Amino acid sequence: MGYKITIMENFILPFQSIGIGDVSQVGGKNASLGEMYQKLTPLGIAIPNGFAVSADAYRFFIIENDLGVGIQEELAQLDLEEFSNLKQVSTIIKKMILQGNMPERLANQIVEYYHDLSTQEGREIEVAVRSSATAEDLPGASFAGLHDSFLNIKGEDALIEKVRFCFASLYNARAIKYRHDKGFDKHDIALSVGIQLMVRADLACSGVTFSIDPASGFENVVLTTGCWGLGENIVQGAVIPDEFLVFKRSLGKGKRAILSKKLGSKAKTMVYSKKGGVVNLDTSIEKQRAWVLPDEEVELLAKWAVQIEEHYGVPMDIEWAKDGVSGQLFIVQARPETVHADKDRFSLKEFKLLEKGELLTTGFAIGNGISSGKIKILNSPTEADQLKEGEILLTEITNPDWDPIMKKAAAIITSKGGRTSHAAIVAREMGALAIVGAEDALQILKDGDYVTIDTSVGNTGRVYQGELKWKVTEHNFKGITLPKTKPMFIVADPDKAFNLSFFPNQGVGLLRMEFVITKNIGIHPMALVHYDQLENEEEKKQIDALCLAYRDKREYFIEKLTHAVATIAAAFYPKDVILRMSDFKTNEYSNLLGGKQFELAEENPMLGFRGASRYGHERYREGFRLECTAVKRVREDMGLDNLKVMIPFCRTPEEGRGVIKLMKEFGLKQGEKGLEIYVMAEIPSNVVLAEEFADIFDGFSIGSNDLTQLTLGVDRDSEVLSDLFDENNPAVKWMIAEVIRKVKSKGKKIGLCGQAPSDTPDFAEFLIAQRIDSISFNPDALIKGIENMIKAEKRK
């Protein structure tokens, strides 16, 4: 092994003297730390000081111990087909390095810089000793966790020993295999060691921040995860961490920027042991129920992430830690995000299950797709030979030793971990499907079970019983021209919003609040307003569990609704997102927790107490106040002024004026700060009196389903009458044409939400001939709808 080294006066490089151009000398990790310490500390970003033992120092160690030829000979013995002797080759090489003597010259320099750093701090310091390979932290190759690092090291002898251990970790079995897979095994790879002031996160918290959504690649958010104690629990996937999503544009405006918060179980806390090393303790119930960071520190980390991303010019994967002694936040590492670096933004695969199956378990979805196969439970990487190609790997957690095994699996399921765990990061990098944090998976799933896993629907991955059928549709949006008439989405699930934003679109024409309430809240708003009056003790217990972190149970509803709506508004910002205020029917409201006590039993709920009629009525007025409070927070506190609101099932102009007045009382004044209030056109009276409604509202959206039912007097869910439900019926088309004509004559906007324009080209042509402004589609119908709209406009 003919190493060429630069004979240096000094094998040590302090952080203040190195930058991103020094990867060949100090590796990717240390080069980034030096770059940030030099360039970003002046901006207020806290980086712990330290120094790097250079790659030439490693080469000097190898030469002085005459190890080059021996290492080369062992690598030459490696089975490059099956890697059957990988562990043996790794063990021999590491033993050679660990038995080598640290050259006196090098040891003296390491100790000298350690003492200098201690002098600056006024005490003998504890340090983190981190490996930093010269081919590490590059776009497309993260080398995540492949080399060894050591924390809380104190004293000369311990420091020198850990530097030698880092040198040896260059030949960890997982690192040798990874370099081969990535094509680095033919290069001169060396290892630098970073020695950095220790942040006492064991006494506080730590975690990972991405300057991009790592699941979808959506670039306008920052994702932070955190746990109590050392962040190794997050990387290993040993805990389900807290998760915070921050919108960059709100952050830049100085507005409230947190789009969502998810409380993780954080069942373990890793701390330093008095005997040396670390120990993983059970987290107290109080701390499991508490957020690891207050909102202002979440937003501070997000600001730092944006600054780091802007400095490097690429999305970043960042490690942070909070010192339990000083209370200060620090950035302890940053590397390029490796998964979405080369992603084709114009190409997208759409997956859809064609069959229904029994849902067995859920977790965090990693990757976008569907796969099926036989479950294989493994407890350790040593059982790798038991996994057959195409089986679904199920285990508790993974670490870098699992990497070669994960490539054989059709998909991966872990019972622990979050979206920034090792299993999640590696699965994304490999393009594999994974579900992590499926907490009951090992209790429910058995070895040999046939299952289907679906990670294509938002952030929640689902495991279904049996091998279900699915279809894949490939889209390529490159060069696509949007029609003049705006194609918009019908959306209900915030988890899908970031992925949907990549489709060609002009925003969201219908955001269904009631679906958000069902999925993200689950409690009747009046049951929260009048919690003390609840009669059902079992439902009270369920509500208590959901509202555990909230002193005022009404705040649970407001915050959950705020976060869900804000996420969708942020995904499409600055395009319009039109939120329809709640439009549950009484029988649907009754299904929410606490709902039966506050709802009427109606013979015909479709024509009953729903929509605008509810909002000012004493039975729901305070519930509507909660809805308006959430909207106000999204628009004003978070600065998402692309959000508009829409009133459903408004029977008369008088009712419309009453709702506008009530909304003003609740803090939403029409026209103030650009607020527009639309109305659904779904009742014949909306068509007959369209000019009067246009004097009250800023725009209209035709609800073609209800308008068709009410025009033809047909319940589309009736088995015996469903054939009569037809949006192409002349009476329905007259209604639609008439309301468009009247609304346009008043200079107001009008769109339509429904399936017909995607199913029937003729219907799309009819709407465009009437000069409709927009057509909104369900996500699976958007592309077909756009095709029909373009054809219609050409014919016109």
Side-chain angles (χ1 to χ4, degrees):
M1 188 174 288
Y3 281 135
K4 293 180 180 178
I5 68 169
T6 305
I7 301 301
M8 304 171 68
E9 286 296 320
N10 203 334
F11 284 120
I12 308 300
L13 298 168
F15 283 176
Q16 60 261 34
S17 69
I18 55 181
I20 201 63
D22 296 314
V23 172
S24 63
Q25 266 301 316
V26 297
K29 193 177 299 179
N30 287 335
S32 182
L33 281 169
E35 177 79 10
M36 290 192 295
Y37 190 82
Q38 280 195 72
K39 307 286 179 62
L40 299 181
T41 299
L43 300 180
I45 299 176
I47 316 288
N49 196 7
F51 58 89
V53 180
S54 70
D56 271 351
Y58 164 83
R59 296 184 180 106
F60 181 59
F61 174 90
I62 296 295
I63 291 170
E64 287 293 293
N65 286 282
D66 197 22
L67 298 176
V69 173
I71 293 173
Q72 199 79 303
E73 288 176 348
E74 287 303 320
L75 289 174
Q77 302 297 317
L78 186 61
D79 171 11
L80 297 178
E81 294 295 326
E82 300 295 329
F83 290 88
S84 57
N85 62 343
L86 175 62
K87 187 174 180 181
Q88 178 186 349
V89 169
S90 167
T91 301
I92 292 172
I93 295 175
K94 288 173 68 177
K95 186 176 180 181
M96 291 164 56
I97 294 173
L98 291 173
Q99 289 178 344
N101 294 314
M102 185 67 71
E104 186 177 352
R105 177 181 162 197
L106 177 55
N108 287 341
Q109 290 185 14
I110 294 170
V111 168
E112 178 187 346
Y113 273 79
Y114 171 69
H115 285 315
D116 285 349
L117 207 53
S118 292
T119 300
Q120 292 173 32
E121 294 298 309
R123 60 183 177 84
E124 186 175 27
I125 57 171
E126 298 87 10
V127 291
V129 182
R130 299 176 181 271
S131 298
S132 178
T134 55
E136 194 168 71
D137 292 347
L138 302 175
S142 68
F143 285 79
L146 297 180
H147 308 113
D148 295 342
S149 293
F150 304 92
L151 303 176
N152 207 40
I153 306 305
K154 185 176 183 179
E156 299 175 4
D157 294 341
L159 177 58
I160 296 300
E161 179 191 46
K162 296 310 180 189
V163 170
R164 184 167 30 233
F165 272 88
C166 285
F167 284 169
S169 75
L170 187 63
Y171 292 97
N172 284 342
R174 62 205 185 212
I176 295 172
K177 178 70 165 57
Y178 189 89
R179 285 197 296 271
H180 173 79
D181 292 343
K182 290 291 184 178
F184 287 107
D185 55 344
K186 302 292 191 296
H187 299 279
D188 171 16
I189 304 297
L191 190 128
S192 168
V193 180
I195 296 167
Q196 188 179 29
L197 280 168
M198 194 68 229
V199 177
R200 292 302 304 270
D202 62 310
L203 303 176
C205 56
S206 55
V208 178
T209 293
F210 280 87
S211 69
I212 187 175
D213 176 49
S216 65
F218 184 71
E219 294 180 344
N220 288 329
V221 292
V222 175
L223 175 73
T224 290
T225 59
C227 66
W228 297 115
L230 303 177
E232 191 66 16
N233 269 337
I234 290 180
V235 176
Q236 290 178 355
V239 299
I240 305 222
D242 290 348
E243 189 174 294
F244 308 91
L245 199 63
V246 178
F247 187 45
K248 291 177 181 176
R249 297 202 187 194
S250 295
L251 201 64
K253 292 178 180 179
K255 298 282 189 178
R256 287 172 59 171
I258 297 176
L259 293 177
S260 68
K261 296 163 67 173
K262 295 179 181 176
L263 190 69
S265 55
K266 309 181 293 293
K268 292 288 184 179
T269 300
M270 187 178 287
V271 300
Y272 300 125
S273 169
K274 292 179 180 178
K275 298 177 182 178
V278 296
V279 59
N280 227 358
L281 304 176
D282 290 335
T283 308
S284 69
I285 295 298
E286 291 75 21
K287 293 189 82 172
Q288 286 187 46
R289 293 174 177 174
W291 300 105
V292 294
L293 291 172
D295 289 358
E296 56 269 22
E297 290 185 344
V298 172
E299 293 186 344
L300 176 61
L301 279 175
K303 287 177 184 176
W304 286 357
V306 170
Q307 289 175 304
I308 293 169
E309 180 184 69
E310 287 174 350
H311 179 76
Y312 284 97
V314 294
M316 299 294 287
D317 170 0
I318 299 160
E319 292 181 20
W320 61 270
K322 184 175 182 178
D323 193 292
V325 178
S326 67
Q328 185 175 1
L329 283 172
F330 290 92
I331 300 297
V332 295
Q333 193 173 319
R335 62 175 74 89
E337 191 273 343
T338 57
V339 177
H340 297 282
D342 300 318
K343 184 177 178 181
D344 182 357
R345 295 303 172 87
F346 298 104
S347 180
L348 190 144
K349 285 185 178 180
E350 188 180 5
F351 295 80
K352 185 177 183 181
L353 278 175
L354 301 177
E355 298 179 287
K356 291 184 178 180
E358 181 186 349
L359 181 64
L360 301 176
T361 186
T362 63
F364 296 100
I366 309 299
N368 173 44
I370 301 174
S371 183
S372 64
K374 187 166 66 172
I375 290 288
K376 186 62 191 177
I377 299 174
L378 299 183
N379 299 308
S380 162
T382 60
E383 301 172 347
D385 59 320
Q386 298 179 29
L387 181 70
K388 295 178 182 176
E389 203 79 41
E391 290 184 325
I392 294 175
L393 168 64
L394 171 58
T395 190
E396 186 178 50
I397 60 174
T398 68
N399 60 39
D401 290 328
W402 288 86
D403 292 3
I405 309 164
M406 291 167 72
K407 293 187 176 183
K408 288 173 61 179
I412 302 140
I413 304 172
T414 67
S415 60
K416 294 183 178 179
R419 292 208 285 157
T420 55
S421 65
H422 169 267
I425 291 170
V426 173
R428 286 191 201 100
E429 192 170 301
M430 294 190 308
L433 302 185
I435 296 177
V436 300
E439 295 183 269
D440 56 0
L442 284 166
Q443 285 75 52
I444 291 175
L445 303 176
K446 301 291 183 277
D447 213 55
D449 286 352
Y450 281 92
V451 299
T452 298
I453 80 166
D454 184 0
T455 63
S456 67
V457 187
N459 294 327
T460 301
R462 296 169 174 84
V463 182
Y464 295 99
Q465 188 174 54
E467 295 184 281
L468 307 179
K469 293 178 182 178
W470 72 87
K471 72 172 184 177
V472 184
T473 306
E474 295 194 25
H475 302 291
N476 192 312
F477 307 133
K478 195 165 188 176
I480 192 168
T481 302
L482 289 176
K484 293 177 182 177
T485 307
K486 289 184 176 182
M488 303 179 82
F489 273 117
I490 300 171
V491 176
D493 188 350
D495 283 352
K496 299 179 184 178
F498 294 158
N499 283 315
L500 293 177
S501 71
F502 293 111
F503 281 77
N505 71 86
Q506 292 287 3
V508 176
L510 175 60
L511 168 50
R512 294 166 161 157
M513 183 186 286
E514 61 273 10
F515 285 85
V516 173
I517 293 172
T518 300
K519 181 179 183 295
N520 294 73
I521 299 172
I523 306 173
H524 195 292
M526 296 303 287
L528 297 170
V529 171
H530 298 298
Y531 171 78
D532 293 338
Q533 298 175 21
L534 283 177
E535 298 163 0
N536 188 312
E537 290 300 322
E538 181 56 37
E539 287 191 327
K540 283 186 81 170
K541 288 179 184 177
Q542 293 179 58
I543 291 171
D544 286 343
L546 288 170
C547 300
L548 199 60
Y550 300 85
R551 291 181 181 176
D552 183 343
K553 289 181 170 54
R554 290 172 297 185
E555 182 61 26
Y556 170 82
F557 184 94
I558 295 168
E559 184 171 276
K560 289 287 187 182
L561 184 56
T562 297
H563 286 165
V565 172
T567 298
I568 296 171
F572 294 93
Y573 191 88
K575 299 171 186 172
D576 287 350
V577 172
I578 303 172
L579 171 67
R580 185 176 70 189
M581 304 302 275
S582 65
D583 190 27
F584 280 121
K585 304 174 186 70
T586 49
N587 58 325
E588 294 167 338
Y589 261 123
S590 294
N591 292 328
L592 295 171
L593 278 175
K596 288 184 174 59
Q597 185 173 329
F598 297 96
E599 293 299 327
L600 301 164
E602 295 186 303
E603 291 296 326
N604 189 351
M606 181 186 172
L607 298 179
F609 188 47
R610 62 176 288 201
S613 302
R614 294 183 69 93
Y615 300 153
H617 195 282
E618 61 180 11
R619 282 181 168 272
Y620 193 75
R621 177 187 171 91
E622 292 306 306
F624 188 60
R625 184 194 296 272
L626 302 186
E627 294 182 25
C628 291
T629 302
V631 171
K632 184 178 173 67
R633 286 188 187 178
V634 174
R635 283 186 47 82
E636 298 181 18
D637 296 354
M638 303 182 73
L640 289 160
D641 51 11
N642 61 322
L643 183 70
K644 302 179 178 182
V645 295
M646 183 157 62
I647 306 304
F649 225 78
C650 186
R651 294 170 168 93
T652 67
E654 292 74 24
E655 198 171 56
R657 280 188 282 270
V659 171
I660 297 286
K661 183 180 178 182
L662 185 61
M663 291 178 73
K664 181 181 178 182
E665 181 184 333
F666 291 161
L668 293 176
K669 183 179 179 182
Q670 187 178 29
E672 192 171 84
K673 298 178 181 175
L675 175 62
E676 293 186 3
I677 302 175
Y678 283 36
V679 66
M680 292 292 293
E682 53 191 337
I683 308 170
S685 64
N686 300 142
V687 178
V688 175
L689 302 176
E691 289 100 340
E692 289 187 51
F693 280 103
D695 290 334
I696 300 165
F697 293 99
D698 299 297
F700 290 67
S701 180
I702 301 167
S704 59
N705 288 337
D706 276 2
L707 186 59
T708 301
Q709 291 184 95
L710 294 172
T711 299
L712 298 178
V714 171
D715 178 359
R716 66 172 179 157
D717 294 325
S718 167
E719 291 182 14
V720 294
L721 296 177
S722 59
D723 288 346
L724 292 174
F725 179 88
D726 182 9
E727 289 160 309
N728 276 295
N729 183 282
V732 177
K733 291 177 83 170
W734 183 89
M735 284 281 194
I736 292 171
E738 186 69 2
V739 73
I740 294 173
R741 181 187 68 78
K742 289 180 175 179
V743 170
K744 298 289 282 186
S745 73
K746 300 287 284 188
K748 299 292 176 75
K749 298 174 186 175
I750 185 165
L752 179 139
C753 307
Q755 190 72 20
S758 58
D759 291 344
T760 313
D762 289 349
F763 197 82
E765 189 170 356
F766 158 70
L767 292 173
I768 286 168
Q770 308 306 314
R771 298 187 302 119
I772 200 162
D773 293 298
S774 66
I775 303 175
S776 299
F777 302 93
N778 287 315
D780 60 354
L782 178 75
I783 300 302
K784 183 63 178 174
I786 288 175
E787 291 173 0
N788 289 341
M789 291 168 73
I790 290 172
K791 289 176 184 175
E793 287 185 351
K794 284 180 179 177
R795 283 195 291 270
K796 180 184 173 185

